[in-house]
Amino acid sequence: MNPSNLLSVALRFLAKLYPASKRWLHRFHGGVFPQYYKSLSATQPIRKAFIPEKLILPLEQPVGLPAETLVKVGERVKKNQLLAQASKDPQKALIVPVHAPTSGTVMAIQPMTLPHPSGLQDQCIVLQPDGLDEAIVNALEVDGSHPGSPEALKSTLLHAGIVGMGGAGFPTYAKIPNQRGKIHTLLINGAECEPFITCDDLLMQTRAQEIVQGALITAHALGASKIICGIETNKPEAIRAMQEAASNTPVEIRSVETVYPMGGQKQLTLELTGVEMPHKAHAVDLGLLMMNVATYAAIYRAVVHGEPLTSRLVTVSGLGLNKPFNIHALIGTPFSALAELAEPKVTLDYPLVMGGPMMGFQVQNNDVPVIKTTNCILANPPEPVAMQMPCIRCGECMQACPVNLLPQQMYWHTQAHEYDKVEKLNVFDCIECGCCSYVCPSHIPLVQYYRHAKSEIKAMHAEEKATELAKQRHEFKLARIEREKREREARLKAKKEAVKKEALAEESPSAKKPEATAKSAAEAARAAAAKRAAAQKQSQKSDDSNNPPIPPARLKAIEAAKKAAAQKAQQKNEESSASSKVNREPPKSEQDEKKPDAKSAAKAAAMKAAQKRTQAKKQASTESASEVTSAKKDARQRAIEAAKKRAAAKKAELQPMAEMETEQACSDSAFPQQADVKDNTTAATELTETTTSTPASEKETARRAAIKAAKEAVAKRKAASPSKTEQTENTATPKPDEDKRKKAIEAARNRAAQKRNAANESQQGDK
Amino acid sequence: MIEAVLIFLGLALLFGILLGYASVRFKVEGNPMADQIDKVLPQTQCGQCGYPGCRPYAEALANGEAEVNLCIPGGNEVMIEISEITGLEQKPMAEGAAEPKPKEVAFIDEDLCIGCVLCIKECPVDAILGATKQMHTVIEKECTGCEKCVPVCPVDCIEMRPVEVTTKNWKWPEPQTIQEGK
Ligand code: SF4
Ligand code: SF4
Ligand code: SF4
Ligand code: SF4
């Protein structure tokens, strides 16, 4: 008997007095010793293959993006046929192809519940087996030779759809490094530490050769020199079988202590190599690569026989079953079908568990399919849950944690929603092994808290990223607008200056006018006219430059809208010029019009319109006065007159525009308040009232017509969609070139209304 | 006696020079408080605070010109953070603004869109994709859910839809906590 054996015997004796002393036998911190129940299924032979009535094949794996289907509903497929594949670069998107586990017909491609704790649905291929099990032999078209480079191996593994079968389900091809020689030690994980699960145990007993060969193939491709396999001492049969298969090969079989969670990647790595993986480091960077025994067996079958991964050994066990067993289950077999085979003691009206009792989760629907990571289907009848008590800060959890975390601290901070602190306590290093919950005397479901905290932290980081992106994009947009504005201004200025120069050249001969007031008025009018002309030219120009040659068939609506926008800008220009020169009109900004109060906005707009009208009149009168007083009626004067006329005409046109804008302001503000459409109508009415009280002019009629049209439009809309109140009020204007836009909008709106009505009807029909 | 005075004068001079140099050498550009506030704001750029974006609000806050409780998407949490940074007193959020709602993104009914580009102009983060007379669509990943594009659409084809829950963004629920006697 050598000293280490002596030590273990001594400790085993000591453990009777001091149970925690068993933890001295293994190298990692903590760990627990649960009751294993492994004999339930380990003593049974592997059950013969079974083809269920239907197979459900999720397109999405636990890790990575979903694959894209290659088959159609109703198509007949053979075993091993490729059903879905990545269309993008699979390396980046971590997409795993899906193969048919048996021959049959594609019944549907539809969302089905996934074996995921959320119970969410996702696209799945539903296959109806025909029982013939007609297979494509060597579907991957391999020649059986061992790949000599990591790339060759990776491509085979990708096409075979192999993922880590121990639990996480990370695509194996993505796990393997590209450079040969980067991995010096290959590790085989045969330490199946979770209670109840025996599928790896039985796989090692029955297919030891395949596992060892798979490891040799991988080591050959990667140039790894050492292969170590760790198997827990409670699987003596497996150890013997593996030792036999590994004789005369470089594979070293080591037995490791039976302690939960020995099968954890970091824990077993530490146990076998003495290397403790640093925080956030990947094993691959340290030259170590660990894979599960089932993964190695799958690699062997893919490389030598060209078989994609379409079935796996699954343990069907639990205290609620009469005949637990292990079976080579086809991927996609519903859980309930397998559980029924094991003769449940009572009807399975309780949720089954995927995985073991420590790390597994309850599925939301017992018909979820076996996926590549399903190692166990557990049917444990629900037990009364022990009442959760307050934490007594006993520190048991801390002593049990195999990762040396501070479970109790993380629990407190999670409860307080201080997720940043939880993250600082390295919650992402938590392997969710459940040791802490297992030992907690207060029965606190600690792991649930960490899972919750992890998803909250992940969401937090995603949000931070989105926020940063939004900020950048917003700043970019502001910069762009600023730049465009500068460019526009520069062009405008150039134009203005050119016009000014011309005007100056004309003005110099008639500089000495007797009537100073008349002159200033005339000047103001001229300057305004010049500006308008410049603006118009400008807008025309920008129109031209902005619109690449548009085919006539394209909607004219946009053009009209642009013109309207240009006119709006022009109007603003006018306003500013008028206010600066005549100093009659108080400076008015767009903001004022968009005041949240609908009524005040309407009033303000009306006032403005009235002001403008009076101002225009005044201008006209002063100008006429200047006309009378100035004896000469030269070319300049005529030009001014022409400009004036144009201005008047434009103002007449713009009046309805202003009205429209007011309307829009009303509706804009009415929208957030969810006010009735009525409000708009009343606002419009009020508008009419306020405006009619001002001195009537010949423009009045035009404006009235505009208001009427707007009102009609509102009424029409109201009739069209009586239920919908949040309709955007973009009213029609009587302007001829607005007509097309109006029509287009009206048409679109009608379409929308029709669609909505149809939807409503169908909804009602459904009810 | 005289040595002591000289020493202290010398020291005062030395430190004065040092401080003067430091204030020139390590001068902070911009307004650090505005930056800090801008960091805690949700960057929705919705303008519900009455400022044209998050940054202007942050600047107004830093200059002491704004209330701390104007950011509606940020809710109470952001209000508290702002008051911590600015040292201003906390204020309750306006009525009905306190309850946070699940994140939504804009969705454009592409059959109805007439391609008027109005929504593109409105979007503060350029999350809407489209061209004149072409149907428009929202880049979900970049939409901040500010709802600014909804009212401008003349045919009312934009609606806000909650972000779909998938296995990738699903969150483990928080366990039922027991009431601990404190
Ligand atoms: S084991 Fe439970 S009761 Fe003890 S410190 Fe940890 S959480 Fe608290
Ligand atoms: S679940 Fe996490 S915190 Fe708890 S013992 Fe395991 S690793 Fe430690
Ligand atoms: S798409 Fe609409 S809701 Fe989304 S960010 Fe842009 S304007 Fe806001
Ligand atoms: S505002 Fe509406 S109609 Fe116009 S482009 Fe946007 S989605 Fe299309």
Side-chain angles (χ1 to χ4, degrees):
Chain A
M1 197 174 258
N2 62 34
S4 78
N5 272 355
L6 207 66
L7 181 70
S8 81
V9 168
L11 274 173
R12 258 170 247 285
F13 178 72
L14 186 60
K16 291 207 174 85
L17 306 170
Y18 177 56
S21 68
K22 274 207 261 180
R23 287 187 181 148
W24 301 342
L25 279 172
H26 54 89
R27 288 164 104 164
F28 62 85
H29 179 264
V32 293
F33 305 90
Q35 217 182 335
Y36 280 103
Y37 299 107
K38 293 226 184 209
S39 57
L40 281 180
S41 52
T43 49
Q44 310 288 324
I46 294 179
R47 217 182 146 105
K48 70 173 192 315
F50 152 77
I51 298 177
E53 276 164 28
K54 69 174 178 185
L55 294 171
I56 303 161
L57 304 162
L59 293 175
E60 196 179 21
Q61 305 296 322
V63 179
L65 296 171
E68 279 165 39
T69 43
L70 302 171
V71 290
K72 280 191 229 54
V73 175
E75 205 172 315
R76 185 168 188 278
V77 295
K78 285 183 177 175
K79 183 182 165 97
N80 298 346
Q81 186 178 332
L82 189 60
L83 301 182
Q85 200 186 20
S87 62
K88 283 177 258 158
D89 179 14
Q91 288 277 358
K92 256 186 220 144
L94 299 178
I95 296 173
V96 178
V98 178
H99 298 86
T102 183
S103 60
T105 322
V106 177
M107 260 163 68
I109 300 171
Q110 66 187 49
M112 305 277 280
T113 310
L114 297 179
H116 187 271
S118 63
L120 285 169
Q121 295 202 331
D122 199 41
Q123 278 317 88
C124 295
I125 299 176
V126 183
L127 192 71
Q128 186 171 35
D130 54 13
L132 304 173
D133 211 19
E134 230 179 296
I136 301 173
V137 181
N138 193 0
L140 301 175
E141 291 162 3
V142 295
D143 53 10
S145 66
H146 295 186
S149 70
E151 281 84 19
L153 179 66
K154 280 174 83 155
S155 119
T156 310
L157 298 187
L158 166 61
H159 291 117
I162 296 176
V163 302
M165 291 162 82
F170 198 77
T172 305
Y173 66 84
K175 201 171 164 180
I176 293 177
N178 275 319
Q179 309 98 304
R180 202 182 142 81
K182 189 166 183 192
I183 302 293
H184 53 73
T185 307
L186 207 59
L187 302 169
I188 306 175
N189 188 343
E192 199 175 31
C193 57
E194 274 239 20
F196 287 101
I197 308 180
T198 54
C199 61
D200 287 353
D201 183 5
L202 283 189
L203 190 76
M204 286 188 281
Q205 288 181 32
T206 55
R207 297 196 173 173
Q209 270 302 334
E210 289 183 12
I211 297 165
V212 170
Q213 288 305 316
L216 288 173
I217 289 166
T218 316
H220 175 67
L222 297 181
S225 52
K226 246 172 130 184
I227 307 173
I228 310 173
C229 174
I231 305 172
E232 273 188 326
T233 48
N234 63 353
K235 305 180 196 46
E237 302 272 315
I239 295 174
R240 207 171 311 127
M242 286 294 281
Q243 262 164 352
E244 222 165 86
S247 55
N248 302 324
T249 66
V251 181
E252 186 188 331
I253 309 289
R254 273 200 219 157
S255 65
V256 292
E257 253 341 286
T258 304
V259 55
Y260 181 84
M262 182 56 90
Q265 174 166 298
K266 293 191 176 179
Q267 286 66 41
L268 189 59
T269 304
L270 174 61
E271 200 68 27
L272 293 178
T273 65
V275 176
E276 189 160 5
M277 259 186 274
H279 174 60
K280 276 188 177 161
H282 287 290
V284 170
D285 299 328
L286 302 176
L288 304 167
L289 180 66
M290 175 179 285
M291 286 193 273
N292 183 265
V293 285
T295 314
Y296 284 112
I299 292 174
Y300 167 80
R301 297 200 79 80
V303 169
V304 175
H305 299 296
E307 271 179 33
L309 180 56
T310 58
S311 70
R312 66 156 299 148
L313 200 56
V314 177
T315 303
V316 183
S317 185
L319 300 172
L321 302 176
N322 275 326
K323 289 193 171 163
F325 57 84
N326 278 282
I327 186 170
H328 282 288
L330 300 176
I331 305 293
T333 310
F335 277 22
S336 51
L338 288 174
E340 288 301 331
L341 280 187
E343 297 173 15
K345 288 175 182 158
V346 291
T347 28
L348 288 171
D349 49 4
Y350 49 89
L352 296 170
V353 169
M354 171 165 145
M358 303 288 278
M359 293 177 82
F361 58 86
Q362 288 188 343
V363 295
Q364 305 288 322
N365 177 345
N366 284 349
D367 288 332
V368 296
V370 168
I371 54 173
K372 288 170 186 173
T373 52
T374 310
N375 48 10
C376 178
I377 297 169
L378 203 59
N380 277 341
E383 286 167 14
V385 189
M387 232 258 285
Q388 182 182 334
M389 308 282 280
C391 170
I392 53 170
R393 295 195 185 265
C394 64
E396 279 294 321
C397 48
M398 195 186 76
Q399 282 175 12
C401 179
V403 200
N404 259 321
L405 298 176
L406 298 171
Q408 181 225 119
Q409 293 291 323
M410 298 197 297
Y411 160 65
W412 282 99
H413 288 309
T414 307
Q415 245 194 348
H417 292 199
E418 295 167 329
Y419 298 117
D420 48 337
K421 287 190 185 151
V422 185
E423 195 185 3
K424 283 218 183 80
L425 288 167
N426 296 327
V427 71
F428 278 99
D429 281 346
C430 166
I431 56 171
E432 299 178 17
C433 65
C435 291
C436 47
S437 315
Y438 180 80
V439 297
C440 178
S442 293
H443 305 290
I444 301 171
L446 293 163
V447 185
Q448 298 299 325
Y449 285 94
Y450 309 146
R451 284 171 169 166
H452 170 68
K454 279 184 190 180
S455 28
E456 284 292 342
I457 293 167
K458 265 189 210 145
M460 225 162 71
H461 286 313
E463 206 168 283
E464 263 163 34
K465 243 194 224 157
T467 303
E468 195 44 45
L469 182 79
K471 197 164 139 191
Q472 276 170 13
R473 289 182 74 89
H474 182 59
E475 271 159 16
F476 178 77
K477 178 169 177 164
L478 289 184
R480 198 191 65 216
I481 289 172
E482 189 58 32
R483 196 189 65 224
E484 277 171 4
K485 201 171 132 202
R486 265 206 313 278
E487 278 169 9
R488 215 172 30 237
E489 262 168 14
R491 268 182 306 186
L492 196 74
K493 217 169 150 194
K495 267 267 136 55
K496 232 198 271 176
E497 247 144 48
V499 172
K500 218 181 228 165
K501 243 181 230 161
E502 250 175 64
L504 266 178
E506 275 180 18
E507 204 185 334
S508 44
S510 59
K512 276 166 190 160
K513 284 275 157 206
E515 298 272 352
T517 48
K519 189 192 139 205
S520 69
E523 220 168 18
R526 204 185 42 246
K531 242 176 225 165
R532 268 196 304 278
Q536 197 156 34
K537 254 186 219 157
Q538 186 54 45
S539 63
Q540 264 164 8
K541 200 181 151 203
S542 68
D543 257 3
D544 294 344
S545 61
N546 281 355
N547 285 359
I550 301 172
R554 286 176 115 193
L555 293 179
K556 291 232 172 86
I558 303 311
E559 223 176 70
K562 253 207 194 124
K563 245 183 228 158
Q567 263 158 8
K568 224 193 265 177
Q570 211 179 301
Q571 189 197 16
K572 236 186 271 166
N573 270 343
E574 256 177 68
E575 264 172 46
S576 57
S577 67
S579 61
S580 61
K581 297 276 182 212
V582 188
N583 249 342
R584 281 255 168 221
E585 199 171 303
K588 203 147 238 185
S589 63
E590 274 272 288
Q591 220 81 4
D592 287 1
E593 282 188 351
K594 300 253 152 125
K595 274 261 167 69
D597 194 337
K599 275 187 188 173
S600 76
K603 258 184 205 152
M607 293 256 288
K608 198 173 113 190
Q611 257 172 355
K612 213 183 272 161
R613 264 194 308 282
T614 46
Q615 176 215 324
K617 251 195 225 152
K618 242 177 222 159
Q619 247 184 26
S621 64
T622 36
E623 272 156 19
S624 63
S626 79
E627 264 170 56
V628 172
T629 46
S630 67
K632 275 187 215 166
K633 290 203 173 181
D634 53 11
R636 188 179 61 93
Q637 214 44 302
R638 269 204 293 281
I640 291 172
E641 217 173 337
K644 234 185 310 175
K645 251 180 218 152
R646 247 186 299 134
K650 202 156 292 142
K651 242 171 222 158
E653 275 178 2
L654 282 170
Q655 221 64 54
M657 278 291 295
E659 243 81 301
M660 188 187 90
E661 247 186 71
T662 326
E663 253 277 346
Q664 186 122 32
C666 298
S667 59
D668 274 353
S669 50
F671 167 66
Q673 293 161 1
Q674 298 283 331
D676 207 48
V677 185
K678 229 182 191 167
D679 277 6
N680 282 317
T681 332
T682 47
T685 326
E686 208 175 281
L687 189 74
T688 337
E689 275 160 18
T690 34
T691 45
T692 42
S693 65
T694 61
S697 71
E698 70 268 33
K699 291 164 203 155
E700 194 67 32
T701 40
R703 214 195 58 239
R704 273 209 187 139
I707 293 168
K708 213 167 144 200
K711 259 182 174 173
E712 260 165 30
V714 170
K716 214 186 273 171
R717 229 184 351 274
K718 221 159 105 186
S721 55
S723 60
K724 197 88 173 177
T725 54
E726 65 235 63
Q727 190 118 21
T728 318
E729 312 287 320
N730 193 328
T731 55
T733 59
K735 264 185 70 177
D737 57 351
E738 287 284 318
D739 264 7
K740 285 198 180 111
R741 176 169 174 253
K742 178 181 138 194
K743 256 183 226 154
I745 293 173
E746 204 64 47
R749 201 179 285 135
N750 282 349
R751 251 189 297 139
Q754 267 164 16
K755 202 173 161 185
R756 216 170 281 130
N757 282 349
N760 277 346
E761 267 164 36
S762 68
Q763 255 178 19
Q764 272 155 13
D766 283 352
K767 276 170 200 162
Chain B
M1 166 62 192
I2 193 81
E3 302 96 321
V5 170
L6 277 181
I7 285 169
F8 275 98
L9 271 178
L11 277 177
L13 206 65
L14 181 72
F15 284 121
I17 290 168
L18 261 179
L19 281 174
Y21 173 74
S23 77
V24 173
R25 177 73 178 73
F26 302 111
K27 190 168 166 47
V28 181
E29 293 292 333
N31 191 339
M33 196 193 262
D35 282 340
Q36 236 177 321
I37 299 170
D38 198 29
K39 243 191 202 122
V40 303
L41 291 175
Q43 302 298 336
T44 319
Q45 316 293 359
C46 62
Q48 288 180 73
C49 49
Y51 293 85
C54 295
R55 178 85 213 174
Y57 178 43
E59 269 157 20
L61 272 168
N63 297 334
E65 292 160 4
E67 300 283 356
V68 294
N69 61 347
L70 299 182
C71 182
I72 291 165
N76 247 333
E77 268 168 55
V78 167
M79 186 272 293
I80 292 169
E81 277 178 88
I82 292 172
S83 68
E84 270 166 14
I85 295 171
T86 55
L88 297 173
E89 209 161 298
Q90 299 186 2
K91 278 204 178 129
M93 295 302 290
E95 194 78 23
E99 77 270 18
K101 60 177 185 180
K103 193 187 164 189
E104 289 185 325
V105 291
F107 172 83
I108 293 178
D109 190 334
E110 288 164 9
D111 295 340
L112 298 181
C113 173
I114 55 168
C116 67
V117 305
L118 288 177
C119 53
I120 291 197
K121 288 201 196 110
E122 201 59 36
C123 181
V125 292
D126 287 335
I128 301 180
L129 208 65
T132 313
K133 287 168 225 164
Q134 316 272 319
M135 65 151 209
H136 287 45
T137 196
V138 176
I139 311 171
E140 235 178 76
K141 232 175 64 205
E142 274 153 17
C143 174
T144 65
C146 70
E147 302 188 13
K148 270 173 131 175
C149 55
V150 177
V152 298
C153 178
V155 291
D156 204 9
C157 66
I158 309 181
E159 61 182 38
M160 301 304 291
R161 291 192 175 172
V163 181
E164 208 187 331
V165 179
T166 65
T167 50
K168 298 285 182 289
N169 65 8
W170 176 78
K171 286 188 196 167
W172 278 93
E174 188 172 11
Q176 294 294 313
T177 42
I178 46 149
Q179 286 308 307
E180 298 193 30
K182 278 189 190 152

